[in-house]
Amino acid sequence: MLYVITGPPAAGKSSWIEAHAKPQDVVIDLDRITVALTGPGAPHWNHAPLQQRVAQRARYAAIDEALQHLHQLDVYLIHTMPSPKALAKYKRHKARIVVVDPGEAIVMQRIQAMRSPAMERVATRWYRARQGRPREAMPQASRSW
């Protein structure tokens, strides 16, 4: 089964996966991939552009390979703002789309506390893209921040 976990930055997507994935499952998370590809002491968020680019390429390769094995394992994929094309691809693979959204105020508070100010723009864009749509996500206190 493919689980696509969406939501704004700092919403708790990784925490949702930690609560649901099993050790044998595949987790594709750009932050985890970037940390795995950078040297000791590299930040867990706010990665440099070149490291981010290398990690993004690794992420694409991981997605392509994992999709070929959905009949044998569960795949958890974090995709903050999937495009219509990406959503169509995920739906062809019968993905379960999970939206993690604890609310804009909580997200902005978390970003201010531990993320780059650039993430505020991403979160604002995420919320604007969802205006007028029914809120399908549940408030989630993922962990103490």
Side-chain angles (χ1 to χ4, degrees), residues 71-85:
H71 61 285
Q72 297 173 312
L73 52 80
D74 287 339
V75 175
Y76 291 80
L77 167 62
I78 292 180
H79 197 154
T80 296
M81 293 179 60
S83 67
K85 182 178 178 181

Side-chain angles (χ1 to χ4, degrees), residues 14 18 22 33-34 38 43 64-65 73 99 108 123 127 138:
S14 296
E18 286 177 24
K22 299 176 291 308
I33 293 169
T34 307
T38 53
D64 289 343
E65 184 65 25
L73 52 80
V99 180
M108 292 305 185
Y127 282 107
M138 65 295 198

Side-chain angles (χ1 to χ4, degrees), residues 5-23:
I5 316 307
T6 70
K13 298 179 295 293
S14 296
S15 297
W16 189 94
I17 289 173
E18 286 177 24
H20 293 85
K22 299 176 291 308

Side-chain angles (χ1 to χ4, degrees), residues 5-6 17 39 43-44 51 53 65 68 70-71 75 82-84 98 117 125 130 138 140:
I5 316 307
T6 70
I17 289 173
H44 287 279
Q51 285 83 354
R53 183 177 177 155
E65 184 65 25
Q68 296 179 42
L70 292 176
H71 61 285
V75 175
S83 67
V98 177
R125 196 169 81 230
R130 299 192 58 79
M138 65 295 198
Q140 176 174 326

Side-chain angles (χ1 to χ4, degrees), residues 44-62:
H44 287 279
W45 299 288
N46 305 330
H47 309 289
L50 286 178
Q51 285 83 354
Q52 191 87 18
R53 183 177 177 155
V54 171
Q56 191 67 262
R57 298 290 277 229
R59 178 180 175 270
Y60 292 139

Side-chain angles (χ1 to χ4, degrees), residues 123-142:
T124 297
R125 196 169 81 230
W126 190 89
Y127 282 107
R128 284 191 182 143
R130 299 192 58 79
Q131 284 179 341
R133 295 163 105 189
R135 184 166 178 195
E136 54 206 46
M138 65 295 198
Q140 176 174 326
S142 56

